[in-house]
Amino acid sequence: MSFISKWAGLLGLLAVLVIGDQIRINRPGHKFRLTVEMTTPDGIKTASGILAVVPDRNYNRGGHTTMRGEAVFADLGRGKNLVALLAHQQGGKLDLDDINYVALRAYGAARGNRVSFSDIDRQTGTVPVQGDLIPVLVSFGDPMEPNTARLVAADRAEAVLGDGYSIRGLTAEVVPNGFWPMDFGGVLGEPVTRGIEAKLPWLAAQGEAAATAGKAAGLPVGGEIEAREAFARK
């Protein structure tokens, strides 16, 4: 074997090792489908999105778990909508971390015992997302205008949406990771849901639009970056 061939082989092996390690580090710990089901004057409406939870396997984030995905946008017809944000409101603050543990805690509550990160991807079936696990819900009078956002109480949706509208429930369901990062759909696995910018176009623009939406809904938004993460995470 020539000197060049030997080095080419070593470089190829190194590239495989680096790529493999990056896949190990960035591969989701688990994915789950968050579904919102609504009663409307025109019948039952549902919307869902696939979210990915990624633990810090390399500890370059200080052990901080992160989320990939977007808020779930439900088109209810008649110009009505409901958006389940990637955030919870805790103690007068907007909590962006609890969304990482929604499936974990929902399965634990449904099973009556604690479910660990190492066991979550072995859970099956759909479980209810209730009480404090329900993320912040908002509705836009006009999805094109962030300042029309209004906070929606899970048990009093009609106060914002009108008579005939109510939340039947939210559910979580663990789905396979698939062949990440080639999870393009079908047998390769379901990818993280994208496309909210088509429904809320102002999210694609620079500026303070996301913070404007948060403030209009009465949320304790700390700034534009925090507000954007309530709608979408890369």
Side-chain angles (χ1 to χ4, degrees), residues 100-111:
N100 300 328
Y101 309 102
V102 163
L104 194 76
R105 292 167 178 166
Y107 276 97
R111 305 289 191 252

Side-chain angles (χ1 to χ4, degrees), residues 157-218:
E158 71 281 358
V160 172
L161 296 170
D163 292 341
Y165 293 88
S166 64
I167 297 172
R168 284 173 60 93
L170 282 79
T171 60
E173 178 186 14
V174 168
V175 299
N177 270 336
F179 292 94
W180 190 91
M182 296 182 292
D183 50 349
F184 306 131
V187 296
L188 296 176
E190 296 186 64
V192 165
T193 303
R194 299 293 182 190
I196 196 169
E197 289 180 355
K199 296 160 183 169
L200 302 173
W202 40 266
L203 278 173
Q206 297 296 321
E208 299 292 316
T212 297
K215 290 173 183 176

Side-chain angles (χ1 to χ4, degrees), residues 110-126:
R111 305 289 191 252
N113 60 278
R114 183 177 179 274
V115 176
S116 68
F117 256 111
S118 60
D119 292 331
I120 185 65
D121 60 353
R122 290 193 284 271
Q123 304 302 310
T124 59
T126 300

Side-chain angles (χ1 to χ4, degrees), residues 42-98:
D42 301 314
I44 304 301
K45 305 281 187 179
T46 62
S48 64
I50 303 294
L51 303 172
V53 180
V54 187
D56 183 10
R57 299 185 181 94
N58 203 36
Y59 295 99
N60 57 2
R61 299 191 303 266
H64 183 67
T65 299
T66 59
M67 165 70 65
R68 295 181 194 139
E70 296 181 341
V72 178
F73 185 102
D75 185 344
L76 306 178
R78 304 192 186 193
K80 308 284 187 178
N81 58 77
L82 185 76
V83 186
L85 300 184
L86 305 180
H88 291 76
Q89 194 169 351
Q90 302 284 356
K93 295 181 179 179
L94 198 65
D95 189 314
L96 298 175
D97 290 333
D98 271 8

